[in-house]
């Protein structure tokens, strides 16, 4: 009986050691991941009354584990909070030690609200969301938003 209790104690210690080592490497590795979002480029086609917003997302996976099922979503709202347009991009896997540059473009038809948007003091709200499955076990979500002012002299 003593031998089996001693064996269970040793096995339990080994399992806890590996669990703690994995948790520490997971936390350290997660801190090595960098997500950078470029400045939003705005183009206005005043003839076709279309607004184009472009930005890039750089994901630098310097961690020890792969990033799986990476989804970046960008949604544009008007100053009242009404939905205008949404775009998503998806990457199945980003191996550890690699970088991926994703480009998102949003195109908005302004035919109904052109005069209200251009040259007004009403900002548009760009919300973005990144969903990442880290190390195949830890789902992570990152949210952010940016207010965009459209002024006719700047576009």
């Amino acid at each position: 009986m003593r031998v089996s209790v001693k064996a269970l104690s040793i096995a339990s210690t080994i399992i806890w050691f590996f669990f703690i080592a994995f948790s520490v490497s997971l936390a350290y590795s997660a801190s090595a991941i960098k997500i950078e979002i470029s400045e939003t480029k705005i183009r206005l086609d005043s003839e076709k009354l279309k607004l184009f917003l472009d930005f890039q997302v750089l994901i630098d996976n310097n961690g020890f584990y792969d990033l799986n099922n990476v989804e970046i979503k960008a949604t544009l709202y008007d100053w009242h909070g009404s939905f205008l347009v949404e775009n998503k991009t998806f990457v199945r896997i980003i191996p550890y030690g690699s970088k991926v540059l994703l480009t998102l473009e949003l195109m908005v038809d302004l035919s109904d609200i052109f005069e209200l948007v251009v040259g007004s003091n009403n900002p548009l709200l760009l919300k973005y969301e990144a969903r990442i499955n880290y190390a195949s076990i830890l789902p992570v979500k990152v949210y952010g938003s940016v207010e965009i002012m459209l002024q006719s002299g700047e576009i």
Side-chain angles (χ1 to χ4, degrees), residues 103-114:
T103 301
L104 280 163
E105 181 178 296
L106 300 171
M107 189 272 302
V108 183
D109 183 5
L110 299 175
S111 57
D112 295 334
I113 59 171
F114 185 75

Side-chain angles (χ1 to χ4, degrees), residues 37-41 53-55 73-78 85-87 104 106 123-129 144-148:
I37 298 176
S38 71
E39 186 174 324
T40 304
K41 295 177 186 156
L53 297 139
D54 300 319
F55 66 95
K73 179 172 77 170
T75 310
L76 188 66
Y77 298 92
D78 69 6
V85 69
E86 177 179 274
N87 194 0
L104 280 163
L106 300 171
L124 299 176
L125 182 62
L126 177 63
K127 291 185 179 182
Y128 52 88
E129 174 183 326
S145 64
V146 176
E147 279 191 358
I148 299 171

Side-chain angles (χ1 to χ4, degrees), residues 67-71 90-94 131-133:
L67 303 177
N68 300 312
N69 303 327
V70 177
E71 180 182 306
F90 181 81
V91 177
R92 178 79 177 114
I93 188 167
I94 301 174
R131 294 180 185 202
I132 300 169
N133 190 356

